[in-house]
Amino acid sequence: MHAGADAGAASWYIQKVIQSAVVPVAGLGTRLLPATKSQPKEMLPVARKPIVQYVVEELVSNGIEQILFVTGRSKGSIENHFDHDPELFQALTQANKQDLLRELEFEALKANFFYTRQRLQRGLGDAILCAENFAGEKPFLVALGDSILGLNAVSRAVSRMADVFDAKRASCVIAVEEVPSEETSHYGIVQPASGADDVFRIVNLVEKPAPKDAPSNLAIAGRYIFSPVIFDMIRRVQPDKRNEIQLTDAIQFMCDEGRRVLAVKLTPEEKRYDIGNFPSYFESFVEFALADPLYGADFRIALERLLAKTPAKV
Ligand code: UTP
C-alpha cells in the first residue's frame, strides 16, 4: 500500500500490522504551569477539543482499535473524557440539543481504551515500559499525548509508518519532520545513514543539538512504531541527570546494535503541533481556531483588529 491509498484500505492494512497504540500521558507538564497544576496538559483545549481527543481521532482514523493510556496522578479527567456520560446525554436529549449531542459523538469512537499508571514520572522511556504486558509479542505504535499531527489531526502518517515497518522488516520506525536549522536545539534530531528521502535509515539520535553540531534538521515528531525488543533496550538505559529514562537512549541502543531503525518524513500538511510549551500551544490554538468552520471567519476579523491595535514590538 502506498501513501496515496484510500483511507479504508489503510485502515484494513494497519490492523494487520499494528493493532495497538500506547499514548503516554503521565508527564508532569511543568513547562505549562500553572495551567497544568491540577489538570493534565493533554486535556488542554486546542480550539474546541482537548489535545488528546485529536490524538485518539487520528489513531482511530488510521485503523487503531486498542489504545493504552499510560496515566499518572491528576490524570483522571482523560479517562472520564472518553467514557460515556449518561446524565449529560439524557439532559441534552431532553432539551433536544441536537447540535451539542453531535459534539459527544466521539464517545462512540471504535476503540477499546485501557489505562495503566506510571507511578513515578521517570521519563518517556519508563512510561513506555509500563506498556509491556499490553503490547505482548506484537509491534505497537507510540503516539505522544501532547502532540497533534496535521491541522485537525488529519494525517495518514502512522499508516505509512506501519507500511514501512512491515515492508522493510524494521525494529523501529520514527516519524520525523523538517525544522528550521537554527532551532535544532529544541528537538531530538536524527542522523540519516546517507541521504534523507521520504523513508531513510537512522544511525544516531542527538538530543537538542546546537545548530552547528546537529547531524540534520530532521526532528523526532511524536509517533513511533516499535517491535517488542524496545522493552529490553529501555531496561538497559541509565537514568539521566534528572533521573529520567529517555526513550531516545533506548532507540540509540537499537541503532548501535545495527537494528533497522527507519524514519518516515511527515508531509508539510502533517505538521506536528507540539503542545508541551506555551509559544507552541498559543500558536496551535490560534491556527486551529482560525480553521474552525463555524467561528474561524469571525475570529480572523477579531484577530486582525487586535493586531492592528497592538503592533509587534521589535
Ligand atoms: P514531555 O517530554 O513533554 O514531558 O512529555 P512532561 O513531563 O510531560 O513535560 P515537562 O517537561 O515537565 O513540561 C512528552 C509526552 O510523554 C509523556 C507526557 O505526558 C507527554 O504526553 N510522559 C513524559 C510520560 O508519560 N511520563 C513521563 O515520565 C514523561
Side-chain angles (χ1 to χ4, degrees):
M1 191 193 69
H2 299 287
D6 67 86
S11 299
W12 173 84
Y13 186 82
I14 198 169
Q15 280 168 41
K16 288 287 195 197
V17 184
I18 307 294
Q19 298 170 324
S20 316
V22 176
V23 181
V25 291
L28 297 176
T30 52
R31 285 168 297 158
L32 295 181
L33 279 170
T36 49
K37 170 137 189 300
S38 62
Q39 65 170 337
K41 75 169 156 185
E42 297 80 4
M43 284 298 291
L44 292 177
V46 172
R48 293 191 190 208
K49 299 179 197 174
I51 298 156
V52 71
Q53 185 178 332
Y54 291 105
V55 176
V56 166
E57 287 175 351
E58 174 209 331
L59 300 185
V60 173
S61 77
N62 279 277
I64 297 280
E65 289 191 358
Q66 318 286 340
I67 298 177
L68 173 74
F69 290 101
V70 180
T71 74
R73 278 180 304 283
S74 349
K75 301 279 181 169
S77 58
I78 296 176
E79 202 167 334
N80 293 339
H81 188 70
F82 291 104
D83 201 5
H84 185 51
D85 183 338
E87 279 173 28
L88 180 60
F89 183 80
Q90 203 184 2
L92 295 176
T93 306
Q94 274 169 3
N96 197 24
K97 301 260 187 204
Q98 295 304 326
D99 51 338
L100 296 181
L101 280 166
R102 270 197 294 281
E103 299 297 338
L104 298 181
E105 281 172 1
F106 76 93
E107 287 179 358
L109 277 175
K110 203 164 166 272
N112 296 312
F113 297 110
F114 302 84
Y115 299 87
T116 191
R117 281 227 180 171
Q118 183 188 23
R119 292 191 184 167
L120 294 171
Q121 276 56 59
R122 294 191 61 217
L124 183 55
D126 182 67
I128 302 307
L129 207 48
C130 300
E132 190 167 14
N133 284 340
F134 170 78
E137 298 299 310
K138 293 188 180 156
F140 61 99
L141 176 82
V142 169
L144 298 192
D146 65 353
S147 290
I148 303 169
L149 289 198
L151 187 61
N152 289 321
V154 176
S155 160
R156 305 228 57 81
V158 299
S159 291
R160 290 206 306 287
M161 291 167 67
D163 185 20
V164 167
F165 184 88
D166 190 45
K168 308 266 186 193
R169 301 190 168 279
S171 295
C172 168
V173 176
I174 305 175
V176 298
E177 77 169 347
E178 285 181 21
V179 295
S181 298
E182 62 278 13
E183 291 178 15
T184 53
S185 59
H186 301 308
Y187 302 95
I189 299 289
V190 302
Q191 179 176 354
S194 50
D197 296 329
D198 290 346
V199 178
F200 61 89
R201 188 161 181 168
I202 298 171
V203 287
N204 273 310
L205 300 100
V206 190
E207 266 308 323
K208 305 190 163 81
K212 65 174 176 34
D213 303 323
S216 74
N217 67 336
L218 294 161
I220 300 171
R223 300 291 180 270
Y224 314 76
I225 293 177
F226 292 115
S227 83
V229 78
I230 189 66
F231 298 116
D232 285 336
M233 303 289 147
I234 295 173
R235 269 189 280 273
R236 282 167 43 187
V237 174
Q238 293 300 314
D240 65 9
K241 285 183 296 227
R242 294 163 56 195
N243 204 26
E244 291 192 348
I245 307 283
Q246 295 299 342
L247 183 61
T248 44
D249 289 350
I251 303 172
Q252 183 66 50
F253 284 146
M254 282 184 163
C255 297
D256 296 346
E257 286 190 352
R259 292 178 191 272
R260 200 163 292 174
V261 177
L262 303 177
V264 167
K265 258 196 220 169
L266 299 179
T267 65
E269 295 72 40
E270 289 166 343
K271 171 181 166 177
R272 174 202 186 186
Y273 297 88
D274 170 9
I275 321 290
N277 57 78
F278 278 122
S280 168
Y281 176 51
F282 291 167
E283 202 178 318
S284 305
F285 194 107
V286 170
E287 194 173 338
F288 278 58
L290 285 171
D292 189 279
L294 193 58
Y295 302 111
D298 283 347
F299 178 56
R300 181 176 300 275
I301 294 167
L303 199 58
E304 279 168 1
R305 204 182 304 131
L306 209 59
L307 289 172
K309 256 201 279 178
T310 53
K313 289 194 186 90
V314 277

